[in-house]
Amino acid sequence: MRRAAAALLLLLIATTLNAADARLAERVRAEFLFSWRAYEQYAWGHDELRPLSKTPRDWYGQSLLITPVDSLDTLILLGFDDEAARARKLIDETLSFDKDISVKNFEITIRVLGGLLSGYELTGDKRLLDLADDLGTRLLPVFNSPTGMPYVNVNLKTGKISGTKSNPAEVGTLLLEFGTLSKLTHKPIYYDKAKNALVQIYRRRSKVGLVGDEIDVETGEWTSRASHVGGAIDSYYEYLLKCARLFHDRDCESMWKTSIRAVNKYLADGPWYGEVDMETGKRMAPEFGALHAFFPGVLALGGDLARAKALQASAFRMWQLHGIEPEVLNYKTMTVTSPGYPLRPEIIESAYILRRLTNDPQYVEMGRVFLDSLVAHCRTDAGYTTLKSVVTKEKGDLMPSYFLAETLKYLYLIFAPDSVLDFRHVIFTTEAHPLTSQRGQVFTPPRPYPSRQH
Ligand code: DMJ
């Protein structure tokens, strides 16, 4: 009898928790739709929205539809079918890469190529794959350096390359996208070029197993010896692990294992991950920031839940210091060294992965805090905007495409039921585009929604 009562109580608690999660998921959907509508109203057909001035922004003078391409899979995941159909029509009918503009290979790969590929996998729309194949071909000249590591920029029409100073993140965060393009088009060149670039960085690791944060792609020499898991290196580690998982690539598996050992040995600094000299392992700056906050998620995916949880707790302390996270924090003095917040997703991504792998309600509570902070500090009357300073809360004027592609997608997934996404067979790119090693459906948006917005 007592056992039956306990079971009933547990059921009641679970139902209440699920209802609370469902309400939070619905709030995120509403905020996403509000932001998307602002893009539709003030920046339709352009790369990004400037929410304060209610004007569009194009990265290179002509639009590459960065926001619609980057956001398409979130529109589908959140069940906004009409909006997804309109975005897809815009892309299908107007997107062209036959443009005389020099673009940044890394950004266009992760936002546009990645978005087209996940869009194709989710919809089967062949036009998206044809666009991805065309874009991939136009990006290929970047790999024509003496080392095989990509130049920073390429002209989409002429193939002219430029920019020799790159870094592990920009060199090594291409393989999920280029590899998937190979898989879908049966053209091995994409996989081979991107994999070689990743291997070239790995081969240049120091005797203690670390990489620096700037490298010359022509000479192969490091031009900065600072080693950390922040911007310029971050997603290099992420792709070593995820390439092993998505493509079952044994080289990636072994490169990941060697690298993570060195990272844990030299960069871990109490409950933080800091910066050291790549050759000696000697401590440099005690700094951690918004970009580093992807690392708890990668540690968790790599199977190290203990380190992942401890680092996420540190990242959350950083968030709580000013009610929203700064770009960079000195974790010894707990003072902000770079005060902006450009609507980054990384800490939310890590909370989602930990929520999914541990089922611990503390990560749902973290998600609620993130949502409340975003609403309190970054909402405008036309979408969400960056902060120039998390201390003064002064606003900037940009809604980066990754806010819709990543920040709100991961926030929604923290609260959504597990059945919404096949976590076992989905690998998210660094821009949160889901790629699958399986054929078939990746998302199952829950229907009907309790309170649809349209
Ligand atoms: C995104 O474009 C990607 O997540 C990238 O890997 C790092 N920076 C932004 C978001 O902060």
Side-chain angles (χ1 to χ4, degrees):
M1 196 55 194
R2 230 185 253 159
R3 213 179 274 169
L8 197 65
L9 187 64
L10 279 179
L11 187 68
L12 205 67
I13 293 172
T15 317
T16 319
L17 284 178
N18 286 343
D21 290 3
R23 275 195 299 277
L24 288 163
E26 203 47 39
R27 270 183 69 199
V28 179
R29 286 186 75 247
E31 294 310 310
F32 180 92
L33 188 62
F34 161 74
S35 307
W36 176 258
R37 288 254 189 276
Y39 168 78
E40 281 191 333
Q41 186 171 354
Y42 299 110
W44 184 246
H46 293 276
D47 283 335
E48 286 174 325
L49 166 68
R50 295 184 206 267
L52 282 193
S53 54
K54 300 186 176 131
T55 54
R57 174 193 180 214
D58 289 319
W59 285 26
Y60 304 107
Q62 311 175 47
S63 176
L64 292 171
L65 297 183
I66 294 177
T67 290
V69 175
D70 218 5
S71 311
L72 179 60
D73 55 31
T74 318
L75 284 165
I76 296 171
L77 170 68
L78 271 59
F80 294 122
D81 300 343
D82 297 346
E83 288 75 9
R86 277 205 297 279
R88 185 139 71 88
K89 189 165 184 290
L90 178 73
I91 297 165
D92 283 353
E93 293 177 359
T94 67
L95 185 54
S96 161
F97 299 116
D98 190 21
K99 291 183 159 65
D100 191 4
I101 51 177
S102 178
V103 304
K104 195 157 187 196
N105 175 56
F106 166 72
E107 293 292 352
I108 295 307
T109 296
I110 66 171
R111 300 194 200 213
V112 181
L113 187 56
L116 290 170
L117 290 168
S118 64
Y120 169 70
E121 288 197 344
L122 289 167
T123 61
D125 179 346
K126 181 75 175 20
R127 172 82 184 130
L128 299 178
L129 181 58
D130 291 344
L131 281 165
D133 195 11
D134 179 47
L135 177 58
T137 307
R138 291 171 189 275
L139 295 176
L140 277 179
V142 292
F143 296 106
N144 297 337
S145 71
T147 63
M149 290 190 280
Y151 288 98
V152 176
N153 308 297
V154 59
N155 183 299
L156 290 178
K157 196 191 259 304
T158 64
K160 185 168 182 285
I161 36 78
S162 64
T164 58
K165 295 275 191 305
S166 192
N167 57 59
E170 296 190 2
V171 171
T173 313
L174 307 169
L175 186 48
L176 294 193
E177 293 82 355
F178 277 76
T180 298
L181 189 55
S182 275
K183 191 179 87 180
L184 296 173
T185 59
H186 308 289
K187 296 179 185 171
I189 188 167
Y190 298 123
Y191 193 99
D192 295 346
K193 295 284 183 189
K195 166 114 183 250
N196 177 54
L198 188 64
V199 170
Q200 292 300 328
I201 286 284
Y202 177 74
R203 282 199 187 141
R204 288 172 172 79
R205 71 195 183 284
S206 70
K207 281 198 286 305
V208 302
L210 296 172
V211 295
D213 71 3
E214 193 183 79
I215 194 162
D216 187 310
V217 301
E218 290 189 333
T219 64
E221 297 295 324
W222 293 105
T223 47
S224 164
R225 285 165 50 157
S227 194
H228 47 79
V229 294
I233 300 183
D234 46 9
S235 45
Y236 160 68
Y237 292 122
E238 178 184 352
Y239 271 35
L240 288 177
L241 175 64
K242 290 184 173 178
C243 144
R245 297 286 160 85
L246 185 62
F247 303 122
H248 309 287
D249 185 308
R250 295 222 173 126
D251 300 330
C252 291
E253 179 79 33
S254 130
M255 293 190 288
W256 158 254
K257 283 190 174 146
T258 313
S259 302
I260 191 64
R261 264 198 302 275
V263 165
N264 284 332
K265 181 166 176 191
Y266 293 102
L267 301 185
D269 188 9
W272 299 93
Y273 277 65
E275 183 175 313
V276 303
D277 181 297
M278 67 174 273
E279 297 294 346
T280 62
K282 195 163 164 283
R283 288 243 156 252
M284 294 168 72
E287 289 190 334
F288 187 94
L291 286 166
H292 297 67
F294 82 105
F295 204 59
V298 165
L299 284 168
L301 287 175
D304 193 341
L305 280 178
R307 279 195 176 86
K309 287 190 212 168
L311 188 59
Q312 182 69 5
S314 299
F316 192 51
R317 277 174 60 209
M318 170 174 76
W319 183 282
Q320 286 174 307
L321 202 61
H322 291 282
I324 197 153
E325 71 184 359
E327 187 71 345
V328 185
L329 174 81
N330 178 318
Y331 56 77
K332 290 283 187 224
T333 58
M334 289 306 272
T335 50
V336 170
T337 52
S338 174
Y341 174 63
L343 292 173
R344 292 203 188 280
E346 287 77 5
I347 192 173
I348 301 175
E349 169 185 358
S350 289
Y352 161 61
I353 294 168
L354 279 161
R355 200 294 279 156
R356 189 63 190 75
L357 291 177
T358 65
N359 236 346
D360 186 334
Q362 72 161 303
Y363 299 112
V364 177
E365 174 54 19
M366 264 184 207
R368 190 194 57 72
V369 172
F370 298 145
L371 175 58
D372 287 345
S373 309
L374 287 169
V375 173
H377 305 306
C378 303
R379 201 177 199 274
T380 73
D381 59 6
Y384 278 71
T385 199
T386 54
L387 293 182
K388 288 186 183 163
S389 165
V390 298
V391 183
T392 64
K393 310 292 189 296
E394 187 193 350
K395 288 186 169 72
D397 189 15
L398 186 68
M399 184 166 77
S401 67
Y402 59 70
F403 179 68
L404 301 178
E406 295 190 71
T407 311
L408 290 183
K409 182 187 286 143
Y410 285 127
L411 198 51
Y412 172 74
L413 285 171
I414 289 179
F415 309 125
D418 292 347
S419 56
V420 164
L421 183 128
D422 183 358
F423 192 80
R424 287 164 310 148
H425 298 124
V426 170
I427 298 292
F428 285 103
T429 68
T430 195
E431 189 76 3
H433 296 303
L435 298 173
T436 177
S437 48
Q438 301 267 312
R439 292 184 77 80
Q441 216 172 349
V442 174
F443 297 148
T444 316
R447 291 166 198 284
Y449 291 106
S451 57
R452 288 184 72 87
Q453 299 292 309
H454 61 296

